[in-house]
Amino acid sequence: MRDLFPILKTIKHSKLAPLLLTLQVALTFTILVNAMYMMVTKEAELVKPTGLNESELFSFSTNLVGNQAQKSAQLEQDLAAIRALPSVASVSPITGMPLTNWGRSLDVGLSDNENDRITHAGYYGSDHTVIETLGLNIIAGRNFSPSDVIEQYYDGHKSSASVIISKQLAAKIKPQDWRSVVGDTIFVEFVPQRVIGVVDNMKAAWRFWYAYDMTVISSVREHYEESMLVVRAKPGQRQQAMEATYSLLVQQPGRHLDNFQAFTEIKKDNLQADFAASQTLKAVIIALAFVTMLGIFGQARYTVIKRRKQIGTRRALGATRSQVLAYLLLENAIMMVAGIVLGSVLAILANMYLVNYFALSAVPGEYLLWCAGAMIAVGQLATLYPAVMAARVPPAIATRTA
Amino acid sequence: MLGYYIKLAILSLRKTPFLSLSMIATIAIGIGAAMTTYTVSYMLSKDPIPTKSDKLFHVRLNSYGPDKPFAIQNGQEIPPKIMTYQDAMNLQQAEPGVRKTPLASFKQMVRSTEQSRVAAKMTPIRSAYRDFFAMFEVPFLFGQPWSEQADKAGLPEAVITRELNDKLFNGANSVGQGLLIGEHQYRVVGVIDHWYPTPKFYDYGVRAFSKPRDVMIPLQSQVNHTFWTASDISSRCWREPADESFAARLASECVWLSYWVELGSASERTQYLDFLRSYSAEQREYGRFLREPLHQLLDVKEYLYDQKVLKEDGNIAIWLAFAFLLVCLLNSMAMMMAKFHSRAGEVGLRRAVGASQRDIILQFLVETCIIGLLGGVAGLLLAQLGLSITAQLYSHLYAQMLEMTFGLVIMTLALAIISAMIFGLLPTIRAAQTQPSSQLKSL
């Protein structure tokens, strides 16, 4: 530490180069903090579970034709035929799938009075097989039984029926004791529905929606012209199940099959933008670290070459190798710290701008600390080799000219 | 003299290979990142049809019912963005000299007549009138647009894209071949060559960055076969159709068609607006169009803003990329500083034997210029790599649209050289200020 004052004096003497390095570190730090924070936020989005048995599910929409009775019969036939396939474990009709950005959002309240509205929730209409098909976990109350199922052409949420809700919705309705919601009547779009069970996790169709975690699954089965079915394959047989289902149905003249997709694909499509953004940010962070190291390394190496004679003189006057090493590392650390202090101010300003204009959340303070630590480590690492080179300068060099 | 400086610069760069490479790599990474992001955002917001973007117009008529407006935007009523079938047909018959087309879309199972049912794929299909191809400058690989007769009678004729032609017919000339759309047999009359208008200006904003649809058919043949996909087309009705039949939908007040016209000159434009005015007045006499007559013509750019494809606000990625470039340039500036500083002896000697400060500045500028050029070339390669990775990451941006234009290549090189020279200026001036005497002493 006794090198501190000589270093500060040197920096004061040759203002420009250290100033440049400080500025460069500050700017790097600004970008690093914000990029790092955005990346961590995106990564967290990517691993959030949906509560479904994601790897075994696929879904598609298909057309039902004829009058209502014919449509209902055709749906029943389709379900039976798919269920009979050897690779299929379970199949259900459903009005939509999570993460597809296509579905129903309905008001949920405690009475049919508009003022008692509590929140919105995603709505899925299906039958007694749906909990098993999706792989949901009932944590209170009971599953649907066949006698709960009602059939309707379209807009099944307009019929009163039994519903199972997500835990998040239960907790929103009954914040003190979410379990007690079982047996209650809630009003979904002003229609009374009896809550018979709660599942631990089920998502709505839109990931950025405030009510993404709040869902109502109803026992009203619909047989609309464009109906959706969700299939759960036996473990490890999703590909076979998809092929078998497709060729089974497409054989029928006039049959439409649309959005025929594994759930993992739906999820991938939905997360694509976030995935790409997190990959881009990762690349930025790596390139930033690389460029900074290259810059510091290049400069440090040059200053060592430039100061060979001075270093030799110090060594001749009794400085040990480790003292020379420490001197150069300390010199780098001082400039890094100065850069980081300036950079913190810039980072916070940049973050405020980002929060205002791009609706991002503010960077938590610990990111500043983590990034500061990382920057100093990068700086020290980049200085290490030139510093070792300096330590190897023989004292005898002091006696030679140039 | 310039040749001599170039020789000196190359000599100097080779003398310190590591530092030179570091400077070039640093500039290259910065330029690569900045130009990748810039190219993406440039491609997303460029003029998709430069020769005609001020000649093509999206037509809007206020056909909405007396009770409620279609929508309120910035406190003002706006006409429906889409049109009823009856209005589209009326506009189709009027103003004979003008190229015009309604647009609709649906999805159907498509396969070639050779293929089995299992091979059929759900395919998004565009329906239009034949003027579509001439208006939007669609290039043909084989065949041509369907005939006028097909427009009128709704003959089952189809135009397909090169990609679909490759898939179904192995790239051979498929004109005359059979195509099954649903249960209906169509005949291929034309194959579209590579055509990727970016953004896809004639579609809904949410589809602006998807490829054009693989199959196109005459609108009347969609009508004849009653093709309809509720989830594929935006349709709104201020009064419900009389019943659920397709005929009732056609006769209804439901809006579901986009409508485009091509108007070459200002006078044609005025004339067409006059026509829309008199059409609205005429419809009013029949008891329709009871609201304000808010007919509009939106050119391509106005339409893209309307559909929120183009936006006024800044782009976070561009900011990030250029801040990153700045870091890289500061980095290479610091390295130049170190490098030029260490050459004080050489500068002193040159000054002592008669070189002026200007000569020194020129010499070092040539050197930074070469560093910038090399960094730019390497940055260009990095940007190509960056673009191909971006195209893979963002599947909605297809690879063909993310190619750098010649202008962007020149811009990349210019940016590299100019920024290297600007950031090299300070080190250069510092080096030129070296006193001849102070350096000669230590030699």
Side-chain angles (χ1 to χ4, degrees):
Chain A
M1 271 302 136
R2 62 199 175 89
D3 291 334
L4 194 61
F5 285 104
I7 292 174
L8 290 178
K9 246 168 124 182
T10 324
I11 292 176
K12 210 179 148 202
H13 181 69
S14 58
K15 292 176 197 85
L16 201 59
L19 189 74
L20 269 180
L21 187 67
T22 307
L23 202 63
Q24 175 197 320
V25 170
L27 207 53
T28 309
F29 186 73
T30 307
I31 301 178
L32 190 68
V33 167
N34 285 290
M36 200 70 124
Y37 177 59
M38 286 195 267
M39 191 198 79
V40 170
T41 320
K42 299 278 179 204
E43 293 274 297
E45 280 288 326
L46 295 179
V47 294
K48 246 189 197 164
T50 54
L52 306 185
N53 189 332
E54 297 179 5
S55 62
E56 287 164 12
L57 291 181
F58 64 95
S59 59
F60 56 92
S61 46
T62 185
N63 59 330
L64 301 176
V65 289
N67 62 31
Q68 292 211 29
Q70 286 166 327
K71 282 185 195 127
S72 171
Q74 195 197 331
L75 178 65
E76 194 52 58
Q77 240 172 32
D78 287 349
L79 290 171
I82 295 169
R83 201 169 285 135
L85 292 170
S87 49
V88 168
S90 176
V91 55
S92 307
I94 196 162
T95 54
M97 283 293 281
L99 295 178
T100 50
N101 296 327
W102 183 266
R104 284 178 223 175
S105 102
L106 304 175
D107 274 331
V108 173
L110 285 177
S111 79
D112 57 1
N113 186 333
E114 197 151 338
N115 297 327
D116 288 339
R117 207 185 69 81
I118 295 173
T119 177
H120 283 100
Y123 172 93
Y124 299 100
S126 185
D127 63 17
H128 58 285
T129 59
V130 69
I131 302 294
E132 196 209 330
T133 306
L134 295 179
L136 301 178
N137 217 352
I138 295 199
I139 51 172
R142 64 168 177 93
N143 196 348
F144 295 126
S145 69
S147 61
D148 289 316
V149 179
I150 299 175
E151 197 154 335
Q152 196 171 323
Y153 161 61
Y154 189 55
D155 275 358
H157 57 269
K158 290 180 179 159
S159 309
S160 248
S162 300
V163 298
I164 291 175
I165 63 176
S166 69
K167 186 183 165 189
Q168 295 265 6
L169 180 60
K172 182 85 183 176
I173 297 169
K174 288 273 175 82
Q176 299 86 14
D177 179 18
W178 58 266
R179 284 172 195 277
S180 67
V181 79
V182 175
D184 279 8
T185 296
I186 59 169
F187 287 77
V188 179
E189 207 73 4
F190 313 113
V191 177
Q193 307 281 1
R194 198 163 56 93
V195 180
I196 63 160
V198 177
V199 288
D200 60 350
N201 191 5
M202 175 69 181
K203 306 293 190 195
W206 309 273
R207 193 156 51 89
F208 292 104
W209 192 36
Y210 81 95
Y212 176 53
D213 296 316
M214 297 183 215
T215 43
V216 174
I217 307 166
S218 144
S219 53
V220 182
R221 184 169 109 172
E222 299 180 10
H223 49 266
Y224 183 54
E225 282 87 359
E226 289 177 47
S227 278
M228 186 181 250
L229 301 186
V230 55
V231 184
R232 173 165 166 193
K234 289 193 175 140
Q237 299 187 42
R238 195 189 63 205
Q239 196 53 38
Q240 292 98 300
M242 284 180 80
E243 281 162 16
T245 307
Y246 193 89
S247 53
L248 171 79
L249 295 176
V250 82
Q251 294 293 355
Q252 303 163 9
R255 173 68 78 169
H256 297 185
L257 290 172
D258 199 7
N259 302 319
F260 203 93
Q261 265 181 317
F263 187 74
T264 46
E265 288 299 308
I266 295 176
K267 191 175 182 187
K268 200 176 135 207
D269 284 354
N270 191 287
L271 293 172
Q272 180 108 49
D274 285 291
F275 177 71
S278 90
Q279 292 305 105
T280 313
L281 288 167
K282 244 182 235 169
V284 166
I285 291 166
I286 290 169
L288 209 54
F290 178 70
V291 164
T292 309
M293 280 181 90
L294 210 61
I296 293 172
F297 181 79
Q299 271 173 284
R301 192 165 165 275
Y302 244 76
T303 49
V304 167
I305 291 171
K306 211 173 70 188
R307 291 190 288 190
R308 263 174 83 85
K309 201 166 165 209
Q310 281 174 26
I311 294 164
T313 312
R314 274 205 73 196
R315 290 274 285 123
L317 291 176
T320 63
R321 287 188 172 185
S322 54
Q323 276 172 336
V324 173
L325 194 77
Y327 181 94
L328 285 163
L329 288 177
L330 184 63
E331 189 182 57
N332 172 266
I334 288 170
M335 285 188 284
M336 297 300 279
V337 168
I340 287 165
V341 170
L342 182 62
S344 301
V345 177
L346 287 179
I348 292 167
L349 287 178
N351 185 247
M352 273 158 66
Y353 175 81
L354 292 178
V355 169
N356 278 341
Y357 286 82
F358 299 103
L360 297 172
S361 52
V363 173
E366 69 219 52
Y367 277 84
L368 293 179
L369 286 178
W370 279 109
C371 290
M375 285 286 288
I376 290 175
V378 161
Q380 295 286 293
L381 203 64
T383 322
L384 198 59
Y385 177 71
V388 167
M389 224 170 72
R392 287 210 196 109
V393 170
I397 209 161
T399 59
R400 292 179 216 142
T401 53
Chain B
M1 215 51 189
L2 200 64
Y4 175 60
Y5 289 152
I6 291 174
K7 217 169 106 188
L8 275 185
I10 291 171
L11 217 66
S12 143
L13 290 180
R14 286 176 60 182
K15 214 169 11 179
T16 57
F18 181 79
L19 200 63
S20 308
L21 270 182
S22 299
M23 284 190 283
I24 292 168
T26 307
I27 292 177
I29 291 172
I31 292 284
M35 287 314 289
T36 304
T37 353
Y38 183 78
T39 305
V40 172
S41 111
Y42 171 84
M43 288 297 165
L44 297 192
S45 60
K46 70 170 187 169
D47 188 342
I49 181 159
T51 49
K52 281 203 180 155
S53 54
D54 55 346
K55 300 191 178 83
L56 295 171
F57 295 93
H58 193 247
V59 183
R60 290 171 182 185
L61 293 168
N62 201 1
S63 64
Y64 246 52
D67 304 337
K68 247 170 53 178
F70 173 78
I72 304 283
Q73 204 168 288
N74 302 326
Q76 287 201 311
E77 176 179 351
I78 55 162
K81 301 182 178 199
I82 37 184
M83 205 177 273
T84 65
Y85 180 74
Q86 41 176 332
D87 287 321
M89 289 306 109
N90 290 341
L91 296 195
Q92 242 358 63
Q93 274 147 28
E95 300 286 300
V98 176
R99 280 181 184 158
K100 49 199 180 289
T101 181
L103 298 181
S105 68
F106 60 97
K107 284 168 141 189
Q108 257 297 346
M109 302 301 275
V110 170
R111 61 187 165 114
S112 74
T113 39
E114 311 287 298
Q115 286 178 309
S116 71
R117 266 184 202 288
V118 181
K121 287 268 177 316
M122 195 63 159
T123 308
I125 298 171
R126 161 90 40 219
S127 57
Y129 272 66
R130 72 191 295 266
D131 278 353
F132 178 95
F133 303 99
M135 285 169 72
F136 299 155
E137 300 183 332
V138 182
F140 272 80
L141 178 67
F142 302 121
Q144 57 197 11
W146 56 76
S147 60
E148 228 164 294
Q149 182 58 25
D151 267 346
K152 287 208 182 84
L155 300 181
E157 296 183 344
V159 167
I160 63 174
T161 59
R162 190 178 178 139
E163 280 89 346
L164 187 67
N165 189 55
D166 287 347
K167 261 183 233 150
L168 295 186
F169 304 105
N170 293 319
N173 185 347
S174 61
V175 172
Q177 298 280 352
L179 194 71
L180 279 160
I181 301 180
E183 300 300 308
H184 299 282
Q185 169 127 17
Y186 276 70
R187 192 171 65 87
V188 175
V189 295
V191 178
I192 297 174
D193 207 348
H194 299 295
W195 184 57
Y196 309 105
T198 310
K200 197 171 67 178
F201 57 94
Y202 58 81
D203 210 337
Y204 304 147
V206 288
R207 295 183 188 151
F209 300 108
S210 57
K211 288 182 185 180
R213 299 190 163 215
D214 275 333
V215 178
M216 291 193 59
I217 63 162
L219 180 67
Q220 285 311 323
S221 94
Q222 174 187 2
V223 169
N224 291 350
H225 296 142
T226 65
F227 286 134
W228 186 262
T229 311
S231 57
D232 189 58
I233 192 155
S234 129
S235 164
R236 281 177 61 180
C237 314
W238 63 267
R239 187 167 63 196
E240 290 302 313
D243 56 65
E244 281 179 20
S245 70
F246 199 82
R249 190 194 310 279
L250 296 181
S252 74
E253 287 293 341
C254 296
V255 288
W256 54 279
L257 292 142
S258 254
Y259 199 88
W260 287 86
V261 289
E262 180 177 340
L263 303 167
S265 62
S267 66
E268 275 180 52
R269 193 179 171 178
T270 328
Q271 201 182 333
Y272 200 81
L273 277 170
D274 285 344
F275 157 69
L276 290 181
R277 185 170 308 120
S278 66
Y279 176 77
S280 298
E282 186 188 304
Q283 290 299 313
R284 204 184 175 95
E285 281 173 23
Y286 296 137
R288 299 180 67 225
F289 284 50
L290 297 174
R291 308 192 67 81
E292 285 275 295
L294 292 170
H295 46 271
Q296 278 180 355
L297 290 178
L298 270 68
D299 68 17
V300 171
K301 202 169 173 193
E302 288 165 338
Y303 180 74
L304 289 174
Y305 273 109
D306 176 78
Q307 295 290 310
K308 302 195 171 62
V309 177
L310 295 178
K311 294 187 192 101
E312 303 283 1
D313 58 350
N315 185 331
I316 190 167
I318 294 235
W319 279 103
L320 191 65
F322 278 88
F324 181 67
L325 175 62
L326 192 63
V327 169
C328 292
L329 289 170
L330 275 175
N331 241 308
S332 66
M333 180 171 171
M335 284 191 269
M336 276 184 221
M337 205 77 148
K339 182 170 164 62
F340 289 180
H341 188 82
S342 72
R343 285 164 67 193
E346 179 197 330
V347 175
L349 185 63
R350 286 203 62 213
R351 291 276 279 123
V353 296
S356 68
Q357 272 198 4
R358 250 194 80 226
D359 292 328
I360 303 291
I361 289 179
L362 204 62
Q363 181 201 339
F364 280 45
L365 274 185
V366 167
E367 195 170 327
T368 51
C369 198
I370 288 175
I371 293 171
L373 180 68
L374 292 175
V377 171
L380 204 57
L381 296 177
L382 283 182
Q384 299 299 342
L385 185 73
L387 285 175
S388 68
I389 292 172
T390 310
Q392 272 173 21
L393 282 178
Y394 293 84
S395 60
H396 69 286
L397 311 176
Y398 37 98
Q400 292 92 336
M401 75 174 256
L402 288 181
E403 274 161 15
M404 264 197 177
T405 60
F406 182 69
L408 283 173
V409 170
I410 296 297
M411 190 182 145
T412 308
L413 293 178
L415 179 68
I417 294 172
I418 292 168
S419 50
M421 281 172 72
I422 290 174
F423 280 79
L425 212 56
L426 190 66
T428 300
I429 290 170
R430 294 268 293 184
Q433 281 165 349
T434 308
Q435 292 299 322
S437 55
S438 71
Q439 290 300 319
L440 284 180
K441 266 185 256 168
S442 67
L443 272 181

